[in-house]
Amino acid sequence: MMGPRPVVLSGPSGAGKSTLVKRLMQEYADVFGFSVSHTTRNPRAGEVDGKDYHFVCREEMEKGILADEFIEHAEFSGNLYGTSKKAVEVIRDHNQICILDLDIQGVRSMKRTTLNPLYLSIHPPSIEALEERLRGRKTESEESIQKRLAAARADLEISKEPGIFDAVIINDDLDEAYNKLKDVLSEEIQKVQASKKN
Ligand code: ADP
Ligand code: 5GP
């Protein structure tokens, strides 16, 4: 069984993807399931293992990749990140819309699979606003902020390529961005809600 169409959220680190996903999961707990990725980076204050990410060491992650346990994986800012087959299957088994938070390499890899997700890019209003958010989050070292800003500049260029994203949402005012996100997803949300009533 195919299950509902998954949704990929991409865009620069610090643009507000996690904030938007958390709101969506709160409002529609039954409808969405977040694909919990694996990463070799250290947990940030407040992040929960198994909920935000599966935090693993590089050796364990590389073993999993070799054992073909991942749909996609990428190196971002000196750490490995990846989506396990299991993370996505669990959500499909619950007939929920699978939300994936992926960097641009993950987007490209996902396009080679049969999952056929909707691809959304979340943008900050400007690089300056992004830097302010990354600093304001107080989770990154100066080196990590600089790496993320460099990746962000590249991301914002790539997302201009025609056909790569189905929609770009600018997260300036959070409520406006959230409403736009709900708007883009409304058809899929309604389908899942209707199927759960039957
Ligand atoms: P990402 O998941 O894309 O890395 P986060 O969701 O962690 O980004 O957001 C980065 C920081 O910016 C967080 O501290 C978050 O509270 C803040 N933030 C998110 N959206 C907005 C917004 N619209 N305006 C101001 N700050 C925001
Ligand atoms: P962060 O460390 O800020 O949580 O994430 C850094 C980057 O990794 C973000 O761009 C995020 O979208 C991306 N990312 C998170 N999980 C995955 C994943 O499973 N695969 C890929 N390719 N990228 C991911």
Side-chain angles (χ1 to χ4, degrees):
M1 198 191 73
M2 280 288 286
R5 191 175 185 195
V7 177
V8 167
L9 290 191
S10 195
S13 172
K17 299 180 294 296
S18 312
T19 307
L20 288 165
V21 168
K22 281 194 181 124
R23 272 183 89 160
L24 213 49
M25 303 278 294
Q26 265 165 15
E27 186 170 351
Y28 301 99
D30 270 11
V31 174
F32 293 98
F34 180 61
S35 160
V36 181
S37 296
H38 283 61
T39 183
T40 61
R41 82 152 161 75
N42 292 323
R44 294 176 186 140
E47 282 185 330
V48 178
D49 187 28
K51 191 162 174 266
D52 297 287
Y53 281 105
H54 298 289
F55 295 100
V56 291
C57 65
R58 188 171 273 266
E59 195 189 355
E60 190 180 338
M61 182 114 181
E62 283 172 346
K63 236 165 88 184
I65 292 167
L66 281 176
D68 202 22
E69 289 168 9
F70 286 86
I71 297 174
E72 63 78 38
H73 61 90
E75 179 118 19
F76 179 91
S77 193
N79 287 297
L80 289 175
Y81 292 81
T83 308
S84 70
K85 292 178 180 170
K86 221 182 188 168
V88 171
E89 277 164 13
V90 161
I91 297 161
R92 199 175 40 200
D93 290 349
H94 286 91
N95 195 31
Q96 290 171 325
I97 299 172
C98 178
I99 305 188
L100 302 110
D101 178 342
L102 301 180
D103 82 327
I104 198 76
Q105 303 167 79
V107 167
R108 293 205 194 280
S109 305
M110 208 45 89
K111 291 202 175 207
R112 294 193 289 268
T113 72
T114 55
L115 280 177
N116 187 33
L118 195 65
Y119 293 95
L120 307 180
S121 187
I122 309 297
H123 285 195
S126 64
I127 283 281
E128 291 73 25
L130 183 72
E131 181 166 359
E132 213 170 280
R133 284 180 196 176
L134 281 170
R135 291 192 187 282
R137 197 169 65 186
K138 296 195 177 2
T139 53
E140 310 304 314
S141 65
E142 185 58 34
E143 188 195 355
S144 167
I145 288 175
Q146 293 308 331
K147 280 189 185 166
R148 276 156 208 271
L149 287 174
R153 287 190 184 92
D155 266 24
L156 295 174
E157 275 308 305
I158 293 167
S159 61
K160 287 185 197 153
E161 283 175 24
I164 199 159
F165 290 105
D166 296 297
V168 173
I169 296 175
I170 298 176
N171 179 22
D172 188 353
D173 177 80
L174 182 59
D175 288 337
E176 267 177 39
Y178 182 60
N179 286 331
K180 174 98 190 283
L181 179 62
K182 284 204 292 188
D183 220 39
V184 171
L185 299 177
S186 62
E187 215 174 293
E188 294 299 320
I189 293 173
Q190 279 165 23
K191 271 194 225 162
V192 171
Q193 285 175 329
S195 77
K196 285 191 187 282
K197 274 192 201 137
N198 298 328

